Amino acid sequence: MFTGDDPQILNLIVTIAGVIVPVASVGWAIFAHYNPPDASPTKDNEPTKGAIIDALGKMAREEREPLFAAIDALYRIRREKPEKAEVIDGALALLKTGDTSRAEEILRADLDEKKRIGRKALKEAAAAARHLAAFIYLHDTHKALASHQEAVRLDPEEPDGWLQLGRVALRAGDSEALRAFRELDRRAREQGRIRWRAIAHSQLGDMDELRGASASALNHYQQAQSLLEQWAALALDDPQRQRDLSVSFDRIGDIYLANGDGAKALAAFQEGLVIARKLTELDPANTDWQRDLSVS
């Protein structure tokens, strides 16, 4: 028990304790923030995140926090892929010396893998949107158009997405058809996909023909025919490529015929007929090729 001046001493002790305890708490909070526990159990000789950060040099708090998250990512990969534990441990050890190269390699590979997975998921979602649109189109053209628009947003690199969007937009009377076919041509050109470029020009030719712009339509059909000749030359034994080329001659012939140029129309039709005959000789049972021959 305290006596005499003891109450004053007691008050002094309480006051000092009231100051020391909060200060100690704040100090511990600061220490804990900059030295958080590792995201996964580590061996005694594995570097802590705090040690790694110290090795990377002095930096502001806002610069340290992303690094803590990046180190956590390395530990996450280590947990998810135990077979990479040794490589990641080596990267962590290098980080303690200030060398980030191995960690960068690991995280870049992780990024590339996730991008591949992400692209695959987006491509599958876009395909689902196109499949959905195929059914919706039977009863609501405008809703089908919206579904195709979603498909190209999800996977703008897929040429069939732009083709289907353009066709449905054309059917719906939407001006987006022109943009879709031009986008198809642009992307096919960038990707070096000859046949898709030919398809784009054929569709643009169809649009021009519908609005009575026969000269522009002929130009597009001729570009398509030139591209299909290149395409067919890459695989002379491919019957589908030959059929595509045959159809392109027929389209050119139709334009010449509509313009009253019978001689050029006949020449184009004969070119297509020669190919159609060769195809039916290859496979007399193919009804599509027989029909092409009868039309020619």
Side-chain angles (χ1 to χ4, degrees):
M1 298 294 293
F2 291 97
T3 59
D5 293 333
D6 287 347
Q8 294 180 350
I9 296 173
L10 179 60
N11 288 336
L12 179 60
I13 292 172
V14 170
T15 300
I16 293 172
V19 172
I20 291 175
V21 170
V23 170
S25 298
V26 171
W28 173 253
I30 293 172
F31 176 83
H33 176 78
Y34 288 107
N35 296 274
D38 289 339
S40 64
T42 61
K43 301 173 185 177
D44 292 339
N45 62 348
E46 285 184 349
T48 63
K49 286 191 285 187
I52 291 172
I53 295 296
D54 290 341
L56 296 176
K58 292 183 179 180
M59 61 190 75
R61 175 179 176 179
E62 61 269 18
E63 294 173 331
R64 294 166 67 93
E65 289 178 350
L67 287 170
F68 279 129
I71 297 166
D72 282 339
L74 290 172
Y75 282 120
R76 172 187 56 76
I77 297 170
R78 192 181 190 280
R79 289 194 305 272
E80 294 174 355
K81 299 179 179 178
E83 70 278 8
K84 293 189 175 182
E86 185 176 348
V87 174
I88 293 173
D89 287 345
L92 291 168
L94 284 176
L95 283 174
K96 195 175 180 182
T97 69
D99 185 344
T100 65
S101 59
R102 191 71 58 81
E104 290 174 22
E105 290 174 6
I106 293 168
L107 291 173
R108 185 172 290 110
D110 187 54
L111 168 62
D112 290 341
E113 180 181 357
K114 283 180 166 47
K115 285 166 67 176
R116 284 193 297 272
I117 294 171
R119 279 195 294 269
K120 181 182 178 183
L122 288 175
K123 288 184 77 68
E124 290 174 352
R130 290 194 297 274
H131 299 157
L132 174 62
F135 286 111
I136 297 175
Y137 179 78
L138 299 175
H139 58 84
D140 193 324
T141 307
H142 290 284
K143 284 187 178 179
L145 178 62
S147 192
H148 280 301
Q149 288 168 334
E150 182 177 12
V152 297
R153 282 195 298 271
L154 290 166
D155 183 15
E157 298 303 317
E158 172 54 52
D160 190 47
W162 293 105
L163 175 62
Q164 299 305 328
L165 172 61
R167 285 175 171 172
V168 173
L170 188 61
R171 179 67 178 271
D174 194 291
S175 60
E176 190 168 12
L178 179 61
R179 184 184 76 87
F181 294 140
R182 285 177 174 172
E183 188 67 14
L184 171 59
D185 178 48
R186 184 183 73 81
R187 290 181 180 273
R189 184 171 59 252
E190 289 177 351
Q191 297 170 13
R193 305 178 76 168
I194 300 173
R195 182 172 181 269
W196 281 107
R197 285 197 65 198
I199 290 172
H201 280 289
S202 292
Q203 294 296 323
L204 289 166
D206 289 347
M207 286 191 67
D208 285 337
E209 190 174 8
L210 283 172
R211 63 187 182 88
S214 60
S216 181
L218 177 60
N219 179 56
H220 281 300
Y221 288 150
Q222 287 173 330
Q223 288 188 66
Q225 183 252 322
S226 176
L227 288 163
L228 288 171
E229 283 184 333
Q230 296 175 41
W231 178 241
L234 295 174
L236 293 173
D237 295 333
D238 186 336
Q240 184 58 53
R241 299 187 188 206
Q242 294 297 322
R243 181 176 185 267
D244 289 346
L245 182 57
S246 174
V247 171
S248 75
F249 279 115
D250 289 343
R251 283 182 165 174
I252 291 172
D254 288 338
I255 289 290
Y256 279 132
L257 190 62
N259 290 341
D261 194 335
K264 288 184 178 179
L266 179 60
F269 288 141
Q270 286 177 334
E271 291 275 8
L273 181 60
V274 169
I275 298 172
R277 281 176 175 165
K278 288 180 179 178
L279 290 175
T280 54
E281 289 171 3
L282 287 173
D283 186 2
N286 190 305
T287 56
D288 287 337
W289 296 348
Q290 290 289 348
R291 184 169 58 253
D292 290 344
L293 180 60
S294 64
V295 171
S296 299

